[in-house]
Amino acid sequence: MAEKKVIAVAGATGAQGGGLVRAILSDPSGGFAARALTRNVNSEKAKELAKLGAEVVAADVENVESLKKAFQGAYGAYCVTFFWEHFSPEKELSQASNMAHAAKHAGVQHVIWSTLEDTRKWVPLSDNRMPTLMGKYKVPHFDAKAEADHMFTELGLPVTFLLTSFYWDNLIHFGMGPKKGADGKLSFTLPMGDKKLPGIAAEDIGRCAYGIFKKGREFIGKRVGIAGEHLTGGQMSAALARALGQEVRFNDVPPDVYRSFGFPGAEDLGNMFQFKRDFEQAFCGARNLEFARTLNPALQTFDQWLARNKSHIPLE
Ligand SMILES: NC(=O)c1ccc[n+]([C@@H]2O[C@H](COP(=O)([O-])OP(=O)(O)OC[C@H]3O[C@@H](n4cnc5c(N)ncnc54)[C@H](OP(=O)(O)O)[C@@H]3O)[C@@H](O)[C@H]2O)c1
């Protein structure tokens, strides 16, 4: 049997990378092997991946030499940065640069860069509909990823740009689930009016990425977007109500109110939702559901995700 093509996966103990590692390992005859990158090979999550059959290697995206070693001999590399660990667009840029240089050094044949839109193309810094953040961004965690795109192309890497979507898992891990009001009733807050939010089960991002690697050269040099469904806040609230068996009101607040919530990243997220609201067609249009399903036939709908995950959503 031909030797398996190794995919080196950044963020392997996390959402996107973890989904990709599990997708590779659940398809033993697919011709690919998973190399999981982690800063701590002894963590429980790293050990779990090893148990499933991944090659677990130490690497830190802050350290280009560790990445060069981790990418050595790999056919593919999945590159992702971790904005919410540090809230620094500059760190995302330097970490993306590290991964691009390491992929070039290792001669990787297919890189997937997990990126997002540069919102400043739609909302220039001079546009006051939303505040400029950190001096030169509208949505820092989007804009910096897009800014990093050129680092991959300028090195001449065979790269696919993967536009991801809002994880429904944010309702579990990111404090975005429905909240109980003074009257004991649940409400789901989304500052998007009647516009649709492309969402996805985080696990499906990795499965779609695996679909891209399996297609060989087809998507090299391309920009592809994925989502599980495009849903309004009202539709998400109705789905939550069905799944939870209780009323869930849709709390449609203006982006200004969302920005003022005060939690770390509230302004960034308020701008992000406003961008998705004001440019619904472009943003949804870049994330084709049928296309995502061709990459990942098991792509979940929000109802399916809820059926599996509703008991994990904290309802405070
Ligand atoms: N939440 C959303 O809705 C959403 C939607 C689209 C895009 N995104 C983007 O997704 C990105 C995060 O991806 P994710 O959700 O898959 O991450 P995640 O679940 O938070 O996982 C991050 C993993 O990355 C590893 N990591 C952190 N810092 C590292 C470093 N310096 N070097 C090497 N590994 C490091 C950690 O593993 P170890 O501790 O094992 O090293 C951790 O398990 C963010 O940039 C965010 O903007 C999020």
Side-chain angles (χ1 to χ4, degrees), residues 12-292:
T13 56
Q16 296 189 26
L20 174 56
V21 169
R22 285 182 286 277
I24 296 169
L25 297 175
S26 64
D27 183 17
S29 57
F32 291 91
R35 183 180 291 166
L37 277 53
T38 171
R39 290 165 302 174
N40 178 6
V41 297
N42 294 314
S43 73
E44 282 312 309
K45 284 184 173 176
K47 284 190 205 155
E48 243 170 67
L49 294 176
K51 227 188 271 170
L52 289 174
E55 177 195 0
V56 177
V57 303
D60 189 327
V61 295
E62 287 284 318
N63 179 336
V64 70
E65 293 308 318
S66 75
L67 288 168
K68 283 180 186 170
K69 273 193 211 139
F71 286 174
Q72 205 52 52
Y75 160 84
Y78 188 76
C79 298
V80 52
T81 45
F82 316 103
F83 182 84
W84 302 107
E85 295 239 336
H86 46 66
F87 296 82
S88 161
E90 284 69 32
K91 271 199 176 174
E92 284 200 286
L93 285 164
S94 75
Q95 294 175 351
S97 165
N98 286 343
M99 286 187 272
H101 279 96
K104 182 74 184 172
H105 183 265
V108 168
Q109 293 177 57
H110 192 173
V111 175
I112 296 180
W113 164 231
S114 176
T115 189
L116 288 164
E117 281 85 348
D118 190 331
T119 63
R120 296 165 297 185
K121 284 190 190 152
W122 288 266
V123 192
L125 294 185
S126 58
D127 186 330
N128 290 327
R129 80 178 74 195
M130 59 178 74
T132 293
L133 303 176
M134 301 180 185
K136 52 178 178 173
Y137 302 103
K138 285 299 186 185
V139 183
H141 80 281
F142 269 54
D143 301 343
K145 287 183 181 69
E147 232 177 271
D149 289 356
H150 75 91
M151 292 170 176
F152 294 87
T153 40
E154 275 168 15
L155 289 173
L157 285 163
V159 60
T160 303
F161 297 103
L162 179 62
L163 294 167
T164 58
S165 288
F166 176 89
Y167 310 170
W168 293 320
D169 307 68
N170 293 336
L171 274 54
I172 301 174
H173 305 295
F174 222 75
M176 290 187 182
K179 301 271 179 300
K180 264 199 185 118
D183 60 357
K185 298 239 166 93
L186 290 172
S187 65
F188 174 62
T189 300
L190 198 68
M192 288 186 61
D194 61 355
K195 302 298 187 229
K196 290 185 170 171
L197 171 68
I200 194 163
E203 190 74 9
D204 279 331
I205 296 177
R207 291 191 190 138
C208 289
Y210 180 49
I212 292 171
F213 280 123
K214 278 201 301 188
K215 297 273 185 187
R217 301 194 57 80
E218 192 174 335
F219 297 114
I220 288 178
K222 303 245 162 76
R223 211 171 170 75
V224 300
I226 52 168
E229 268 191 291
H230 303 158
L231 297 171
T232 63
Q235 289 171 324
M236 290 180 76
S237 302
L240 281 159
R242 280 194 302 275
L244 298 169
Q246 55 180 302
E247 188 184 343
V248 178
R249 288 191 204 125
F250 172 38
N251 182 30
D252 172 24
V253 298
D256 260 340
V257 170
Y258 198 95
R259 281 189 278 271
S260 73
F261 281 164
F263 63 83
E267 288 188 300
D268 187 325
L269 291 172
N271 283 7
M272 175 192 81
F273 285 125
Q274 186 177 347
F275 167 70
K276 293 178 184 183
R277 182 195 73 177
D278 292 357
F279 300 94
E280 181 198 33
Q281 269 199 334
F283 195 75
C284 288
R287 289 159 174 79
N288 184 284
L289 309 179
E290 286 71 38
F291 168 70

